[in-house]
Amino acid sequence: MTPETIDGPGIRLRLSRLEDISDTAAACADPLIQHFLPALPSPYTEADARWWITEGAPAAWAGGGAAYTIADRVTDRLLGTIGLNDPVPSRQEAAIGYWVAPWARGRGVATAATQTLADRAFASGTRRLELLTVAENIASQRVALAAGFRPEGVRRLASRGRDGKRADLLTWARLADDPPGPAPRLLPDLPDGRLTDGVVELRPRDPQHAEAMYNLHTQPEVVAILVPPEPPRRADIERNCREGQSRWLRDQVANLAIIDASSRATAGVCQLVYDNPQFRQAMVGYGLLPAWRARGYATRAVRLLAEWGFTEVKLDRIWADTHAGNVASERVLERAGFRREGRVRGRFPTSDGLRTDSTLFGLLPGDLPEAPGTR
């Protein structure tokens, strides 16, 4: 690529200028940018911004990459930066990276800039672009999807934070001949970020739900039906909650918390696993903390989740299974409209090394009963 100005939707990619020093310093001192870009100096000063403009960006161009300021097409004010890193000419590939200033967020700036730079890179002979994010950076993953990048895998412990701790990096990629437009997702977002019938709410699981989730999964009666039947580590539960929304975006699992609509307390958890996209079939699971049982909350949660699955995910079938003899769980499913379909022999491992049967339930769109209350 050559260092020329490129216009995109509402933005312009241009070379950095000394006039950008103040805005660059202010943006790179932002706590969010400092958190997700630990290689930046801290504190970040105008001297650091000057170095980037006069030395860092020119070095990126000299190394075969690219380094642009994202500017407003009307005012020319800096909105962020974007560039191509780690070019491999022999494989016609590179990595793309960006940051957006606090005053420019929520306007689609990163998506517009990423699409614009990717299109120019492909027109210049690049065949493959990668974009790397940590799992907790949900905003950057949404940019990747909106710009046509598809999730490909995980680079284990490939990132090191400012505190020295290492974390996985998620790999997203876009090819020159990928179709235009956003990358497809298996699971859409919830309407308005939640599902509710006025009594319970379902919301995407996040770190604030970790304590309740740990308490639930360490209840003896819950441990007995886990696979394997062992109590989880708190660190694993916390990681599950930190990465839940990321898995929703790039994977086949919608992890949710069940919330009491009146008190806002976390009552339990549920999930929908899109286990067979080819047949438009998914599985549901659920669990409630002891204080919230026998109130119909699990049935309400399953009904809400199934309705969303049929109407928004466009499923044709939802299934669930319970440990044979788990009468309470069987009643939850039956009240939510599921029909008993059979018995699966030896499905679940037990703590004594043996296996136990499960009861299989299925739900079709016409089976779903009317929801109580208002939506």
Side-chain angles (χ1 to χ4, degrees):
M1 292 183 60
T2 56
E4 56 188 308
T5 298
I6 312 171
D7 283 341
I11 55 98
R12 172 169 291 141
L13 306 186
R14 60 164 172 80
L15 296 184
S16 299
R17 304 169 185 159
L18 292 177
E19 293 82 6
D20 298 324
I21 286 177
S22 178
D23 278 343
T24 300
C28 289
D30 174 66
L32 193 64
I33 291 178
Q34 286 276 312
H35 177 72
F36 287 123
L37 296 177
L40 289 177
S42 182
Y44 196 96
T45 67
E46 289 198 356
D48 298 312
R50 179 180 292 273
W51 175 89
W52 167 251
I53 292 169
T54 60
E55 299 185 44
W61 286 105
Y68 285 104
T69 283
I70 309 170
D72 187 287
R73 285 183 65 176
V74 176
T75 66
D76 200 43
R77 185 185 183 185
L78 176 144
L79 304 177
T81 67
I82 191 167
L84 298 178
N85 314 307
D86 306 320
V88 185
S90 63
R91 296 203 296 264
Q92 297 175 291
E93 66 181 35
I96 197 166
Y98 49 80
W99 56 257
V100 173
W103 55 84
R105 293 175 190 153
R107 295 164 42 185
V109 167
T111 298
T114 301
Q115 290 173 327
T116 299
L117 183 56
D119 289 345
R120 181 53 59 93
F122 292 140
S124 302
T126 299
R127 300 299 301 167
R128 172 184 166 86
L129 287 174
E130 280 193 356
L131 194 157
L132 302 174
T133 71
V134 291
E136 63 183 293
N137 192 345
I138 303 303
S140 191
Q141 293 169 59
R142 289 188 178 276
V143 168
L145 286 164
F149 286 71
R150 303 186 184 198
E152 287 196 338
V154 177
R155 295 188 181 182
R156 295 185 301 155
L157 302 184
S159 172
R160 188 171 69 175
R162 201 173 291 278
D163 58 3
K165 295 182 180 178
R166 302 192 72 88
D168 295 343
L169 279 176
L170 309 180
T171 303
W172 307 74
R174 181 178 162 190
L175 306 182
D177 55 1
D178 278 344
R185 284 176 55 184
L186 280 176
L187 297 171
D189 293 326
L190 301 182
D192 301 320
R194 66 172 187 161
L195 302 173
T196 185
D197 63 2
V199 177
V200 301
E201 289 185 3
L202 305 186
R203 291 185 177 271
R205 215 176 296 169
D206 62 31
Q208 70 174 315
H209 303 122
E211 185 65 24
M213 187 173 169
Y214 181 74
N215 289 340
L216 171 63
H217 286 85
T218 51
Q219 297 292 320
E221 71 279 9
V222 175
V223 172
I225 61 174
L226 294 178
V227 180
E230 301 170 359
R233 299 186 308 160
R234 183 181 291 269
D236 292 334
I237 292 290
E238 291 173 348
R239 178 173 181 175
N240 177 285
C241 290
R242 283 197 310 272
E243 299 183 0
Q245 293 188 50
S246 175
R247 291 195 64 190
W248 193 315
L249 289 174
R250 62 190 167 87
D251 206 348
Q252 299 171 229
V253 181
N255 285 316
L256 302 106
I258 303 172
I259 310 296
D260 174 60
S262 176
S263 67
R264 318 305 305 162
T266 302
V269 296
C270 61
Q271 65 177 2
L272 183 141
V273 182
Y274 202 166
D275 63 327
N276 198 327
Q278 182 178 1
F279 292 100
R280 294 195 293 275
Q281 173 184 277
M283 181 269 288
V284 295
Y286 48 88
L288 289 175
L289 287 159
W292 299 97
R293 295 171 189 165
R295 302 188 188 193
Y297 278 29
T299 298
R300 289 175 177 272
V302 170
R303 184 187 288 113
L304 284 169
L305 193 54
E307 182 178 299
W308 174 73
F310 289 135
T311 59
E312 302 294 332
V313 187
K314 308 301 182 185
L315 298 172
D316 287 340
R317 183 176 186 271
I318 300 174
W319 69 277
D321 62 352
T322 70
H323 280 69
N326 187 345
V327 176
S329 190
E330 291 176 357
R331 287 176 176 168
V332 165
L333 294 171
E334 289 170 344
R335 286 195 295 264
F338 283 75
R339 300 187 186 185
R340 192 181 301 252
E341 294 185 340
R343 193 179 186 94
V344 182
R345 295 186 303 154
R347 173 159 166 75
F348 296 120
T350 62
S351 58
D352 56 9
L354 302 176
R355 302 188 71 87
T356 186
D357 298 349
S358 73
T359 305
L360 181 65
F361 290 82
L363 183 73
L364 303 181
D367 301 332
L368 197 63
E370 288 292 325
T374 59
R375 186 72 185 275

